[in-house]
Amino acid sequence: MSCIRVLLAVLFPPLAVIDRGCGSIVIVSLLTCAGWIPGVIGALIILNNKS
């Protein structure tokens, strides 16, 4: 994870996972709509995954 990705995940979580596929974007977008903190946590988990 680069520092730019972490900063992007904190500011706008769906944009941080845009290269991880459509499913990741949808999941993080729904989490962000439910609340900002769950969106950030979801984005950081997806970015931390090495696959």
Side-chain angles (χ1 to χ4, degrees):
M1 265 191 314
S2 67
C3 292
I4 294 172
R5 287 284 175 127
V6 172
L7 183 63
L8 198 57
V10 171
L11 296 177
F12 191 66
L15 192 59
V17 295
I18 200 151
D19 66 337
R20 301 291 176 144
C22 183
S24 297
I25 296 170
V26 170
I27 291 170
V28 172
S29 295
L30 289 173
L31 286 171
T32 304
C33 287
W36 177 72
I37 302 272
V40 170
I41 292 171
L44 290 174
I45 288 172
I46 290 172
L47 287 176
N48 198 26
N49 194 2
K50 295 289 182 182
S51 57

